[in-house]
Amino acid sequence: MHPSPALASALPETPLNVAVIGAGYWGPNLARNFHGSTDWRLTAICDLDTERAGRLAASVGGVPVLSSVEELLQDPELDAVAIATPARTHHPIAAAALTAGKHVLVEKPLADSLVLGEQMVQMARDAGLILMADHTYCYTPAVLKIRELVAAGELGEILFIDSVRINLGLIQPDVDVFWDLAPHDLSILDFILPGGLQPTRVSAHGSDPVGAGTACVGHLVLELETGAMAHIHVNWLSPTKIRQLVIGGSRRTLVWDDLNPQQRLSIYDRGVNLSRDTGEDERSASIVSYRLGDTWSPALPEHEALAAMVTEFAASIRTGRPSLTSGAAGVRVLSVLEAATQSQKAGTPVPLLPTRELESAS
């Protein structure tokens, strides 16, 4: 039998065995990166469409093809599975894998409801297994650098966050634009904010101007514990594609333009300074001054985000620590998505309870 995670930590050169479940849109990307990683041995592709799975398997060394998840999970040599199937199937497949003693990686969103996501996290914790959310953007060089800059205090206190993710996208039949696009932005915020994403209230406004039957344009506002506000704009109907994140801090402001490979990150030493002046009449007034400093762009290393992600998955298994994008991170994203759905229905902001009790979970 393959070494347990505890033994694998002492044998980092021994590849772990993984199978990819789902050969559709995202599965090929996962299979390619597992196949190319020295940390992993890709052992199978599992999909109900065996013809499609066979084509994928042929492109990654001719690994075996299975149509049955149950049969796949009976393999005692299998250490982990990566799930790239429709969101409604994430929970039953992950639950079966965890019950079989396998570590689990799940593409976004972690599940199609908060309660099912929480159950997955609890199952992994009880079994001592790793449950990891494939929040791919968190492993890009740009987002890793943003996390580093925020943690080092280079931006100062976070005052506001604006994120725009718009394009002429595929209108999904089973989810709205919030559940389709916002998980990217929410996972990034959860990754870069100290302590993770813990909004106190969520407001969502969606519209369906083309009669698609679901929100195609959306604005999501998060009130953070610090008093800062985060705004996320998502849109399936824009003829222009924009992926931009602005983080305003008390010291500096950061702009991430994901579509500008020459200068993805820009740091602006510009902003507003406020001071209080108390006059002789003991009345205080705000004095506004504007800071106009330099702009610079940090150098970023070159690596594929998914390659870094599969490396992190292996490292978390070998060390027994939660991954950087753990199941708990996936649950925090789900909590905001569900609050967004509730806010749209009610037409009012929805308060959120903290999910810190899950932060130590795998």
Side-chain angles (χ1 to χ4, degrees):
M1 180 176 288
H2 202 78
S4 67
L7 292 176
S9 64
L11 299 169
E13 71 282 356
T14 304
L16 299 165
N17 291 328
V18 65
V20 171
I21 303 175
Y25 170 71
W26 197 244
N29 295 317
L30 290 171
R32 175 174 53 82
N33 279 276
F34 280 119
H35 178 63
S37 171
T38 57
D39 290 309
W40 292 99
R41 181 184 297 112
L42 181 63
T43 61
I45 304 293
C46 184
D47 195 289
L48 291 172
D49 186 338
T50 54
E51 183 178 344
R52 180 172 65 182
R55 291 193 298 269
L56 174 56
S59 71
V60 287
V63 299
V65 170
L66 295 89
S67 62
S68 168
V69 172
E70 182 180 1
E71 180 184 352
L72 173 72
L73 296 178
Q74 290 174 356
D75 180 2
E77 298 294 317
L78 186 65
D79 295 297
V81 298
I83 301 172
T85 59
R88 66 182 181 277
T89 67
H90 288 179
H91 176 266
I93 295 175
L98 292 167
T99 300
K102 314 303 182 185
H103 304 284
V104 176
L105 171 73
V106 186
E107 71 167 336
K108 64 88 179 171
L110 187 68
D112 63 350
S113 76
L114 176 59
V115 66
L116 293 180
E118 290 174 333
Q119 287 179 11
M120 291 159 63
V121 169
Q122 188 64 51
M123 287 186 68
R125 180 163 52 188
D126 291 345
L129 296 167
I130 296 298
L131 173 65
M132 178 174 175
D134 177 11
H135 292 165
T136 308
Y137 270 101
C138 298
Y139 298 94
T140 60
V143 175
L144 288 168
K145 174 58 72 171
I146 294 172
R147 175 185 167 101
E148 176 188 320
L149 292 169
V150 171
E154 292 294 330
L155 306 184
E157 179 186 354
I158 303 300
L159 304 178
F160 70 88
I161 299 172
D162 275 314
S163 184
V164 180
R165 184 175 299 274
I166 66 176
N167 57 273
L168 198 59
L170 178 65
I171 296 176
Q172 304 291 332
D174 54 345
V175 295
D176 64 14
V177 71
F178 292 107
W179 279 79
D180 182 43
L181 297 183
H184 295 302
D185 306 276
L186 294 171
S187 65
I188 291 167
L189 297 189
D190 184 74
F191 189 72
I192 64 176
L193 291 174
L197 184 59
Q198 300 283 352
T200 56
R201 293 204 307 172
V202 173
S203 301
H205 302 275
S207 68
D208 178 19
V210 296
T214 189
C216 298
V217 180
H219 291 268
L220 185 60
V221 176
L222 314 178
E223 299 175 34
L224 305 183
E225 289 181 311
T226 60
M229 179 178 290
H231 171 254
I232 298 171
H233 175 201
V234 286
N235 188 343
W236 281 330
L237 307 179
S238 171
T240 58
K241 185 175 184 178
I242 301 174
R243 290 180 181 171
Q244 189 174 79
L245 174 70
V246 181
I247 305 175
S250 57
R251 295 185 61 197
R252 299 180 181 90
T253 294
L254 179 147
V255 177
W256 173 33
D257 184 353
D258 191 41
L259 301 183
N260 182 358
Q262 283 74 39
Q263 188 169 324
R264 295 194 191 277
L265 292 185
S266 300
I267 314 295
Y268 295 85
D269 187 11
R270 304 176 189 176
V272 175
N273 294 328
L274 289 178
S275 60
R276 307 294 290 181
D277 179 42
T278 303
E280 294 181 358
D281 57 1
E282 297 184 352
R283 290 181 302 174
S284 62
S286 296
I287 298 177
V288 180
S289 62
Y290 293 92
R291 184 177 69 258
L292 300 175
D294 293 335
T295 301
W296 57 283
S297 180
L300 299 175
E302 290 294 331
H303 70 250
E304 184 174 357
L306 270 178
M309 189 274 299
V310 301
T311 298
E312 169 65 8
F313 189 31
S316 62
I317 291 172
R318 286 172 171 152
T319 61
R321 62 165 174 79
S323 64
L324 289 174
T325 53
S326 64
V331 163
R332 289 192 292 270
V333 169
L334 285 176
S335 70
V336 175
L337 291 173
E338 283 214 347
T341 299
Q342 294 169 17
S343 177
Q344 286 186 88
K345 291 179 179 178
T348 59
V350 172
L352 254 67
L353 297 175
T355 58
R356 288 193 179 89
E357 64 274 8
L358 291 171
E359 289 184 5
S360 61
S362 296

